[in-house]
């Protein structure tokens, strides 16, 4: 058996950092939704964490895209049909677009409401004049993108598990999970 080619170490590290940040984002968004009316102070702290991590996620995604454009990536496993190959390229591309757009729409919503937000309490984010229509549209886009992200993550993880369990294709080791054959 030949060894499976892995993604470059920088891309693997950035991938798993983004996974961690997305999990934290979901956690803080859920905390805000659950505790908004019952414990506003707690919910506000979750919002501030969500904003800060969103800014960090945006920066990491830009770095990740830059690294991705300058480093070679391993080829897809042999024997994948054309449709699966297209899906294997389209899903991560869509995830990248969404993971850049989510922080932008989140910030745009806050900025258009005149909400004085900052990242980690030290980096103030620009604020606009009060524009409720822009804020509403940005909120709607943010929510739709979050739902699309959830669906794409299910597809992405499901495809990796499908290949691991049913086809035997070594896709997980490419991103650093498991041993290469």
């Amino acid at each position: 058996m030949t060894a499976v080619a892995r993604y470059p170490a920088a891309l693997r590290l950035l991938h798993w950092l983004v996974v961690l940040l997305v999990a934290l984002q979901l956690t803080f968004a859920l905390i805000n939704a659950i505790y908004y009316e019952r414990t506003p102070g707690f919910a506000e702290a979750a919002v501030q964490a969500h904003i800060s991590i969103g800014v960090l996620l945006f920066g990491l995604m830009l770095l990740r895209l830059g690294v991705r454009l300058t480093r070679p990536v391993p080829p897809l496993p042999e024997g994948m049909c054309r449709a699966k190959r297209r899906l294997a390229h389209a899903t991560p591309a869509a995830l990248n677009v969404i993971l850049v757009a989510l922080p932008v729409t989140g910030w745009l919503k806050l900025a258009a409401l005149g909400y004085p937000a900052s990242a980690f309490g030290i980096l103030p984010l620009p604020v606009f004049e009060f524009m409720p229509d822009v804020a509403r549209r940005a909120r709607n886009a943010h929510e739709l993108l979050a739902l699309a992200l959830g669906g794409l993550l299910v597809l992405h993880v499901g495809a990796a598990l499908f290949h691991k369990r049913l086809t035997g294709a070594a896709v997980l080791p490419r991103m650093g999970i498991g041993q290469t054959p």
Side-chain angles (χ1 to χ4, degrees), residues 5 7 14 19 22 32 34 43 63 86 110 177:
Y7 278 86
L14 288 167
V19 168
V22 168
N32 179 51
I34 293 168
L63 177 62
R86 285 184 178 160
L110 296 175
I177 295 180

Side-chain angles (χ1 to χ4, degrees), residues 107-108 110-112 114-118 123-128:
W107 163 75
L108 188 57
L110 296 175
Y115 184 87
S118 70
L123 177 66
L125 303 178
V127 177
F128 304 143

